[in-house]
Amino acid sequence: MKLPPEFISLSQEIGAQPLLVQGPGGNTSVKIEGHMWIKASGTELAEARDKNIFVAVDPAKAMQELEGAGDGSCRSALINPDGGLRPSIETTFHAMFNHKFVFHFHSVAAICHAIAEEGRTALAEKLSGLQWVSTPYRKPGIPLTKAIRESVGSRDIQVIVLNNHGIIILGNTVDEVREQINEVEQRLNLPVLAEGTTNVPTADYPGWNNVSEVSALATIPHLFQRATSGTYYPDHIVFLGPAMPALSSSELARLNPVEFPVPAVLVEGEGVYLKSDARPAQRAMLDCIYNVLVRIPADWTLLPIGEEAEAELLNWDAEKYRQALSKRTG
Ligand SMILES: [Zn+2]
């Protein structure tokens, strides 16, 4: 099956923009002749032109998983179960809409609004005139899809802001989707408010790299406080662990990166350190939390997902989890 080239193009284009998609985050789908082609789990939208990242599912079967059939992974809905690709964990909400095209991504502008009380309130004015709705935070998969279904109801909606997560854009043509993405991004755009300073590391930290581009997370006090006191959206915890741990320079100098459970740490007033063997997706997620926090006005009230939601997203054992939690300041 040859997928519409304009669909592949737009998927790749948003995938290549770190302010819209980070690493393997986000997913897009198209429905053609009773099948739905959706981004496969673990693949990257940025590779849409170069690789086959889409997998075909039966949307009716995916909807049955929403009603309790299968395990919620939508593997039962695969047209070719032996093809090696698994559908995205977010397949059920793609299947739920009749729209031909569904684009879901982790827009930094949308996240900035969706993780703050004042941001959520501002959406009403900023998105006025668009057919939009917001939905409460739920764990990605069946719980999120059910929450979206409840929020949308029978209304004709094109834009769904997912609290503490991202955004969904629905359309029947790729042009329509592209227009909505541009419109929403323009309306929700927030300027960068804080530039970091780069301080010289006080010690050598074997196995860790200083990521000077995001040093504001450690050197600007309110960003440091926000970065270390909570987790604001699921991909952060999946790739970087809960919140961000704060260590002193001497603690980091003594730390064996192999034994530490998360890939990035902050040293207050000094810098941000990433394990030197960190995966590109982990670096992308570090850039994401920086891009989010440097845009949120200092007087907005942030709404982290909370420890229960963190634990639900991690399959960490209790000890590993406590260890990471003990490193947070808030
Ligand atoms: Zn998502």
Side-chain angles (χ1 to χ4, degrees), residues 25-27 90 93 104-106 140 144 162 165-166 235:
N27 34 69
E90 289 164 327
F93 71 66
H104 162 59
F105 47 99
H106 303 149
L144 176 59
L162 308 175
H165 186 143
D235 269 6

Side-chain angles (χ1 to χ4, degrees), residues 82-124:
D82 305 319
L85 293 176
R86 288 191 294 117
S88 157
I89 178 81
E90 289 164 327
T91 297
T92 49
F93 71 66
H94 287 259
M96 180 168 71
F97 294 108
N98 293 325
H99 302 75
K100 181 163 177 152
F101 299 100
V102 179
F103 276 62
H104 162 59
F105 47 99
H106 303 149
S107 149
V108 163
I111 290 174
C112 286
H113 288 81
I115 66 170
E117 216 170 277
E118 293 80 356
R120 291 180 187 175
T121 307
L123 288 174

